[in-house]
Amino acid sequence: MAGKQVVFHIGGWSSCGFYNKAASVLASLSVLFPSRLRVVNHMYGSRDEYRSWLLGEDETNGFRDTFAGVSKANKQTSSPFSWIEADGSNNFVGGCDDTLDWCKSFVSPAGDSGKAKSKMQADGHTADHGYDYDLVVIGGGSGGLAASKEAARFGAKVAVLDFVKPSPAGSTWGLGGTCVNVGCIPKKLMHNAALIGEILTNDVQPYGFTAPEQTEGHKWESMRESVQNHIRGLNFNYRVTLREKNVTYLNKLGKFIDAHTLELTDKKGKVSQLTSSRFIVATGGRPTTLDCEGGEHAITSDDIFSLEKSPGKTLCVGASYISLECAGFLAGLGLDTTIAVRSILLRGFDREIADKIGAHMEDHGVKFKNGVVPSKLEKASDGKITVTFSDGSSDVYDTVLTAIGRRADTEKLGVDAVGVKTNPKNGKIVCTDEQTSVSNIYAIGDVMEGCPELTPVAIQAGKMLSRRLFDGSDEPMDYQNICTTVFTPLEYGVVGMSEEDAKAASGCGSKIEVYHSNFTPLEWSLSEHRQKHPAFCKVIVSKDDDRVLGMHYLGPHAGEVTQGFGVSMKKGMTFDELTNTVGIHPTSAETFTDLTITKSSGESADSKGC
């Protein structure tokens, strides 16, 4: 462990065996490493004297209470009590076992602990701060709710603000944020509806069933009602859970007045204020609207899932995963669907995979207008929208859905006024370990610059931030090797690097090897309809150390398949370890353990046999 000297404090009473054991080890280390460690003993003559110091009179205002919001420290009654003094603040370590673990990490070759540590700066929080709350979370989405409940678990006094500003088309929703109301949840349910339709249309007869006759086709209204009822149930459950966890829920819009004060406005326009020692901004993002003449006639993903009637013939503008997912389920439900693509599909994802997804969608009824953007929208009295494109062509649609990106929902939050640094291009907040340029204001999720826009990322970051703020943790969020899935008709799961990124990172393609396979999942094997576009997987491997850099999967249940490899990727799995793993037969996931064909060999990637 290089760097400045660690000042380690340990308190206990003279005849306590646990105190003496831990103090003895610390003393030895301070003799061996005098420039790296200084130990300060707080030894008391009796157990009662020690408890009086630690707990205080009537178990109030003891030394442990100076560790504001650190639940484990605030509850400790035993000996020893250890902490590290650093930069004017005290960082709780724990009791005997915790102290010995710290000693082991101190002398380990990896350094302090072998793990990365948070770079967060002291934010001035104290137990007697005098504000209304220890923490106020602005935004009641998945990340904000997770952070608030985790902080409350450690004894913090917490409030959550959540106020949904209507979309330009007038759509609103309840507590839970984008994912629950207008994102992951309704998207996957409608995606599943499309998959069910495909099975009924193409797969039942080979399995001995008679395909049902559907004289009316899919009923959008029935599906919408079921989906929205499910969402309303989730909204209610979130409110109940907050109450159970002692988190105050405020359905109000917040705006910073200063670094510790918010101005609140409720739905009736009534204005009030609250104060807090700390804030977490978790407002997420909102869809970018169409910037052309008549762009106000287009809707976004904020609106599509709650439409009262079927969107009918639909134009999806954009080649993002949101656009492709929506176009996929709309076409799967039997609707005439077109995607306007300005440049390439799924920018930022693996190019080979993106091309396969595009080909599959086109063969399954989705139309593509490539190299164009809408230049004008005109809405007729019957509600039809005539779209003129940049190449001069035009067509008429019932619905135009814009999915060209998202912008952080910070415009009216007042963060700039209190000195929080943002990216002027997208409104996102610049952070180090979720801490903004104003030390007591933090940010998590889609609102944070450089953060993957994924619900589980916001949830995990929120939990880990609350542990650092109120439970003495110093472990930062790890944003590397995060699994994700694109729910296009042919689902795509990925963890790690794309082939292009791996080549760029290595400096040349010759330093990586790509193993790949086209295969037919067993459940598809009886259906002729499934044969043109097989499932596909590939693994990108470093030739230097055999480490797996990326795993990509196209096929059924992509999320379930990919999630299982997430831990292995976090642990630095090698290709040899992957292929020495015994697969589960017959499954699609086992294909990863059987890969032998490389791209460099030039051999066909088509699988043979079961």
Side-chain angles (χ1 to χ4, degrees):
M1 178 179 116
K4 61 184 180 181
Q5 186 185 56
V6 175
V7 180
F8 197 106
H9 294 256
I10 181 169
W13 74 89
S14 57
S15 60
C16 173
F18 295 108
Y19 164 75
N20 287 324
K21 179 179 181 181
S24 174
V25 174
L26 284 168
S28 298
L29 291 180
S30 67
V31 172
L32 292 171
F33 308 101
S35 64
R36 293 171 51 191
L37 177 65
R38 179 165 69 91
V39 178
V40 180
N41 273 287
H42 303 264
M43 185 172 68
Y44 293 86
S46 68
R47 180 176 181 273
D48 289 342
E49 291 178 17
Y50 169 73
R51 287 177 63 86
S52 178
W53 165 77
L54 182 65
L55 277 61
E57 297 297 329
D58 299 323
E59 298 194 5
T60 59
N61 298 320
F63 180 73
R64 67 179 186 177
D65 296 311
T66 63
F67 292 80
V70 182
S71 176
K72 189 176 179 181
N74 299 154
K75 294 177 181 179
Q76 181 157 328
T77 60
S78 59
S79 168
F81 185 98
S82 299
W83 71 97
I84 293 173
E85 180 185 337
D87 299 324
S89 62
N90 293 329
N91 300 316
F92 180 65
V93 175
C96 181
D97 289 344
D98 298 311
T99 301
L100 295 177
D101 286 343
W102 183 90
C103 292
K104 292 175 185 176
S105 68
F106 179 82
V107 295
S108 70
D112 287 356
S113 65
K115 292 183 179 180
K117 289 190 175 182
S118 171
K119 299 176 183 177
M120 279 175 20
Q121 303 299 310
D123 63 6
H125 178 77
T126 61
D128 57 351
H129 52 69
Y131 299 109
D132 298 331
Y133 292 94
D134 297 315
L135 173 68
V136 169
V137 179
I138 308 170
S142 301
L145 294 176
S148 66
K149 290 183 288 186
E150 190 75 356
R153 187 165 73 89
F154 300 123
K157 184 180 180 183
V158 184
V160 169
L161 303 185
D162 190 64
F163 188 93
V164 179
K165 298 184 290 291
S167 73
S171 299
T172 61
W173 47 89
L175 181 64
T178 297
C179 173
V180 168
N181 295 282
V182 291
C184 321
I185 299 301
K187 177 271 301 290
K188 189 173 183 185
L189 290 172
M190 293 189 179
H191 165 70
N192 194 52
L195 295 183
I196 291 171
E198 184 175 18
I199 291 171
L200 291 174
T201 303
N202 299 296
D203 296 340
V204 295
Q205 288 184 333
Y207 280 94
F209 292 94
T210 301
E213 293 185 9
Q214 293 196 13
T215 56
E216 298 182 27
H218 178 264
K219 294 182 180 179
W220 175 274
E221 293 79 5
S222 297
M223 177 187 68
R224 176 201 176 278
E225 182 179 6
S226 298
V227 169
Q228 292 301 315
N229 284 341
H230 178 70
I231 291 172
R232 280 190 284 270
L234 295 175
N235 298 149
F236 177 78
N237 289 337
Y238 285 136
R239 296 185 66 167
V240 171
T241 302
L242 288 179
R243 185 167 62 248
E244 291 174 345
K245 301 295 183 181
N246 295 317
V247 176
T248 300
Y249 166 59
L250 300 171
N251 183 209
K252 298 180 180 182
L253 184 66
K255 179 181 179 181
F256 280 101
I257 301 300
D258 60 45
H260 290 283
T261 309
L262 285 181
E263 179 183 89
L264 308 181
T265 305
D266 66 17
K267 59 184 178 182
K268 295 182 179 180
K270 183 179 178 181
V271 177
S272 59
Q273 290 189 354
L274 66 68
T275 60
S276 180
S277 179
R278 290 164 164 163
F279 293 93
I280 296 177
V281 179
T283 51
R286 298 297 288 266
T288 303
T289 54
L290 197 57
D291 185 19
C292 70
E293 184 180 349
E296 68 274 10
H297 300 308
I299 65 171
T300 68
S301 57
D302 281 355
D303 312 295
I304 185 69
F305 304 109
S306 58
L307 289 180
E308 295 287 348
K309 63 178 183 178
S310 171
K313 182 180 178 181
T314 302
L315 170 69
C316 296
V317 182
S320 65
Y321 73 89
I322 295 175
S323 182
L324 267 61
E325 287 176 337
C326 290
F329 75 69
L330 291 173
L333 299 177
L335 302 179
D336 186 339
T337 307
T338 300
I339 302 176
V341 182
R342 180 177 61 86
S343 54
I344 60 174
L345 300 180
L346 296 174
R347 183 178 299 278
F349 289 92
D350 189 273
R351 299 311 327 139
E352 180 181 21
I353 298 290
D355 290 342
K356 288 178 179 290
I357 289 173
H360 178 273
M361 292 182 71
E362 194 163 20
D363 279 347
H364 284 69
V366 177
K367 303 169 188 174
F368 288 89
K369 286 185 69 67
N370 294 306
V372 300
V373 294
S375 57
K376 184 178 181 181
L377 275 64
E378 298 174 279
K379 192 168 187 177
S381 57
D382 62 358
K384 303 281 187 182
I385 302 172
T386 299
V387 180
T388 302
F389 296 95
S390 54
D391 63 355
S393 63
S394 64
D395 204 344
V396 179
Y397 302 92
D398 296 303
T399 301
V400 177
L401 171 66
T402 304
I404 55 176
R406 297 176 68 83
R407 182 177 177 85
D409 191 11
T410 55
E411 184 178 354
K412 297 181 179 180
L413 188 56
V415 289
D416 292 335
V418 295
V420 173
K421 185 179 179 182
T422 61
N423 181 339
K425 294 182 179 180
N426 55 25
K428 293 194 173 190
I429 296 174
V430 179
C431 295
T432 299
D433 288 341
E434 294 80 48
Q435 188 175 40
T436 74
S437 52
V438 178
S439 62
N440 70 302
I441 300 176
Y442 302 83
I444 58 171
D446 294 5
V447 77
M448 190 180 86
E449 178 74 3
C451 177
E453 296 183 356
L454 299 167
T455 294
V457 172
I459 292 172
Q460 183 72 359
K463 289 179 178 179
M464 297 187 73
L465 174 58
S466 288
R467 292 167 192 164
R468 296 200 300 275
L469 294 179
F470 297 105
D471 195 41
S473 171
D474 61 4
E475 184 177 359
M477 173 68 183
D478 182 3
Y479 290 97
Q480 302 301 312
N481 286 327
I482 293 170
C483 302
T484 190
T485 293
V486 180
F487 289 99
T488 39
L490 185 60
E491 295 178 0
Y492 169 34
V494 55
V495 56
M497 290 183 175
S498 67
E499 188 172 339
E500 292 75 22
D501 287 345
K503 289 178 179 178
S506 67
C508 65
S510 62
K511 291 188 177 181
I512 65 169
E513 188 64 87
V514 178
Y515 295 82
H516 59 166
S517 175
N518 297 309
F519 65 97
T520 301
L522 182 63
E523 58 267 39
W524 287 5
S525 60
L526 303 187
S527 176
E528 184 178 348
H529 163 77
R530 303 282 189 176
Q531 302 309 307
K532 184 175 181 181
H533 294 279
F536 174 75
C537 69
K538 72 175 177 180
V539 174
I540 302 158
V541 181
S542 167
K543 288 184 178 179
D544 290 337
D545 57 8
D546 196 44
R547 188 165 58 91
V548 175
L549 304 176
M551 300 182 71
H552 301 260
Y553 170 87
L554 272 176
H557 313 297
E560 314 299 335
V561 170
T562 311
Q563 183 69 78
F565 292 104
V567 174
S568 300
M569 287 293 287
K570 284 284 189 186
K571 294 296 184 180
M573 174 178 62
T574 66
F575 185 69
D576 187 56
E577 289 170 335
L578 175 63
T579 53
N580 280 336
T581 300
V582 177
I584 301 172
H585 187 71
T587 63
S588 295
E590 71 173 318
T591 307
F592 279 114
T593 67
D594 294 333
L595 290 172
T596 57
I597 305 299
T598 64
K599 276 192 174 182
S600 61
S601 72
E603 297 180 41
S604 171
D606 293 341
S607 176
K608 299 176 177 63
C610 67

